[in-house]
Amino acid sequence: MMETKKGKYDTNPLDPDFVRETDDIWGDRVDSDSNTKEVGGATQHVEVPNSESGRSNVYSEAPTRRIENPSLDAPYPSIFVAPPHAPPVEVYQPPPLAYQAPNTVQHPTSRSIEGIGLPEKWACMLPYAPFYIGVVASLLELFLVPRKESKVRFHAAQGLSLHIAILVIQTLFGVLEAITNSSVGGTLFWLASTIFLIISMIRVWKGEPHRIAPLAEPSKWLNEKIERK
């Protein structure tokens, strides 16, 4: 078997003499021991970086910036890491006050009311008296008591409105009684209204709040329109 003659370009990269033969062909050769290079027959000094120093330069700067304890003003580092939060500011809160029930009971006093000379508790109670006594008492108080006695005038106006409403409803029952010849409805209403008036007198005497919501507007109108003579 004949051996083929190799040309200068027929080289094997795995051949240990590949580097030397390549330098001989191109005319440049670097001596690794003396750090010299032959160029066109002339010898030049070449600085070959040390492998250890080069490796240290590679790792001299980390590829990423690491912040172990970022400041509160630092930007949000990552969508997967929650930003640090400052501790909540403690706000002073006064201790809760003990609960105090509102004073809803105002007992009428026994002082004399200007204009009528009656004690306050009697002046507040009489407007709710049944059998038309309350109508007379309410009118007298509204015409004689000054406006500074707002509590007395309020009960006088409300009592008068209540008596007017009772009179109107009793008139309607009287008409029905004349048509049907039956007085059962009128009698029952008269009994219920009398009981309600007596209960109103007791509540006002005890000082309990007594406001009849459906009569709020008529009572206000009577109190404003009727002046002291």
Side-chain angles (χ1 to χ4, degrees), residues 23-229:
D23 293 338
D24 292 341
I25 292 172
W26 291 100
D28 297 341
R29 183 177 180 181
V30 179
D31 190 355
S32 59
D33 296 336
S34 59
N35 296 335
T36 58
K37 178 179 179 181
E38 295 181 1
V39 179
T43 302
Q44 295 181 358
H45 181 73
V46 179
E47 295 183 358
V48 179
N50 189 4
S51 60
E52 296 297 333
S53 61
R55 190 177 297 109
S56 62
N57 292 332
V58 171
Y59 296 101
S60 61
E61 294 184 0
T64 57
R65 184 181 180 186
R66 299 179 181 179
I67 301 177
E68 300 296 337
N69 296 319
S71 61
L72 297 178
D73 298 334
Y76 191 75
S78 173
I79 61 174
F80 302 104
V81 180
H85 297 283
V89 180
E90 295 183 359
V91 181
Y92 172 75
Q93 296 181 356
L97 300 177
Y99 174 76
Q100 296 180 355
N103 185 15
T104 57
V105 179
Q106 297 179 357
H107 296 281
T109 61
S110 58
R111 65 181 181 86
S112 180
I113 300 299
E114 181 182 350
I116 56 177
L118 292 176
E120 182 182 9
K121 59 182 179 180
W122 284 96
C124 293
M125 182 188 66
L126 284 177
Y128 301 100
F131 311 118
Y132 303 105
I133 299 175
V135 177
V136 178
S138 299
L139 290 173
L140 290 176
E141 291 180 3
L142 289 175
F143 281 112
L144 298 177
V145 175
R147 290 198 172 274
K148 63 181 181 179
E149 300 290 348
S150 59
K151 185 176 181 179
V152 175
R153 289 186 62 89
F154 166 77
H155 286 290
Q158 183 171 254
L160 182 58
S161 300
L162 181 59
H163 283 286
I164 293 174
I166 292 174
L167 289 175
V168 172
I169 297 175
Q170 282 182 346
T171 303
L172 294 177
F173 274 108
V175 175
L176 292 176
E177 180 181 353
I179 297 174
T180 61
N181 294 323
S182 176
S183 60
V184 177
T187 303
L188 292 177
F189 176 76
W190 175 84
L191 180 61
S193 61
T194 303
I195 294 175
F196 183 78
L197 288 172
I198 294 174
I199 293 175
S200 300
M201 294 177 65
I202 296 174
R203 288 175 59 89
V204 175
W205 181 269
K206 292 182 178 180
E208 298 178 1
H210 185 63
R211 294 178 180 271
I212 305 174
L215 302 177
E217 292 299 326
S219 301
K220 181 179 179 181
W221 185 86
L222 290 173
N223 193 8
E224 292 177 352
K225 295 301 180 180
I226 301 178
E227 296 289 344
R228 181 186 181 186
K229 300 301 181 179

